[in-house]
Amino acid sequence: TKTLATLHKHNVFPKACVLDGNIHVMKAYQEAGLKVQFCQFHMMRIFTRYLTRKPNKEPNKELRMIGLMVNRIKHKDFENIYFRWKIKHLSWLKEQYIDEDGKVRYRHEKTLALTHSIEQFLPYLFTYEDYPELNIPNTNNLIEGVHSAIKSKLSIHRGAKKELKTKIVFSFLSGRTGV
């Protein structure tokens, strides 16, 4: 990818990355040879987005509890608990109705969408466990602070050209600040 090429140009060769979003970016980094960890905090936020903080339906309450455990249990335990929940509530998940336009819809659309998100990100959710020698964090909280600091440095140099901004970022990351 373009980002990796830029890093390699500056003799930076990452072995892993922690990301919080786009599945296509995650797959691209993985294909480029990086170990990809999906931020567990962002996964918990996805649970909240689809289920709210206080879900009303019992299956959603159970699924929310599973989501809150994501950063406290091991990969296999999470998978077992999640897939047992899914099997238990499969018929509930697949309930359908016909809307006023005559279209068939799923009754529990948001919960179903959440299950798709979980299964999409699951291969990346516990990478840090699989490669302990790389010391991959399970969230991107550390880098979020770095991003904030870099943004404030760049905002001081608002009119700077891309080359200068790149130098500022690499200077900051290499510890040679003074900009």
Side-chain angles (χ1 to χ4, degrees):
T1 65
K2 195 174 181 180
T3 306
L4 284 177
T6 304
L7 289 172
H8 292 166
K9 187 173 116 181
H10 292 280
N11 292 321
V12 176
F13 300 94
K15 293 180 179 164
C17 60
V18 182
L19 301 172
D20 61 11
N22 192 315
I23 192 72
H24 301 293
V25 172
M26 297 171 100
K27 287 179 181 178
Y29 279 154
Q30 189 174 39
E31 287 171 11
L34 271 77
K35 307 301 179 210
V36 177
Q37 168 68 41
F38 183 68
C39 176
Q40 290 184 342
F41 174 78
H42 283 84
M43 188 73 234
M44 290 172 20
R45 295 293 301 235
I46 291 171
F47 273 84
T48 302
R49 181 180 341 132
Y50 285 109
L51 300 177
T52 73
R53 289 186 191 273
K54 295 182 180 181
N56 295 326
K57 299 174 181 140
E58 198 56 40
N60 287 345
K61 288 178 183 178
E62 293 173 19
L63 188 55
R64 169 114 172 108
M65 293 306 295
I66 294 169
L68 293 175
M69 289 191 288
V70 75
N71 65 340
R72 291 184 291 226
I73 62 175
K74 299 286 183 196
H75 184 180
K76 290 298 175 198
D77 295 332
F78 180 83
E79 276 188 357
N80 289 335
I81 293 168
Y82 166 70
F83 285 114
R84 273 191 277 140
W85 174 91
K86 188 173 178 185
I87 290 167
K88 177 182 174 184
H89 298 290
L90 197 55
S91 60
W92 179 83
L93 276 172
K94 292 189 174 201
E95 286 178 11
Q96 296 178 334
Y97 69 98
I98 299 173
D99 70 7
E100 60 275 354
D101 298 328
K103 292 183 181 177
V104 177
R105 300 225 182 253
Y106 286 101
R107 188 167 303 284
H108 311 289
E109 250 177 28
K110 288 188 174 188
T111 309
L112 197 57
L114 174 57
T115 64
H116 291 296
S117 287
I118 293 167
E119 290 168 28
Q120 183 177 42
F121 292 122
L122 196 54
Y124 307 101
L125 203 51
F126 294 93
T127 305
Y128 76 100
E129 277 184 20
D130 300 333
Y131 301 94
E133 70 280 4
L134 295 178
N135 292 321
I136 306 169
N138 65 336
T139 69
N140 64 357
N141 291 349
L142 293 171
I143 198 70
E144 294 287 347
V146 172
H147 283 166
S148 296
I150 290 171
K151 278 183 177 180
S152 74
K153 290 281 185 198
L154 292 176
S155 71
I156 295 168
H157 303 282
R158 238 174 257 163
K161 293 185 178 178
K162 187 176 180 178
E163 295 81 28
L164 178 59
K165 287 182 178 184
T166 302
K167 282 183 182 178
I168 291 168
V169 170
F170 277 98
S171 172
F172 181 85
L173 292 175
S174 67
R176 292 175 285 134
T177 56
V179 258

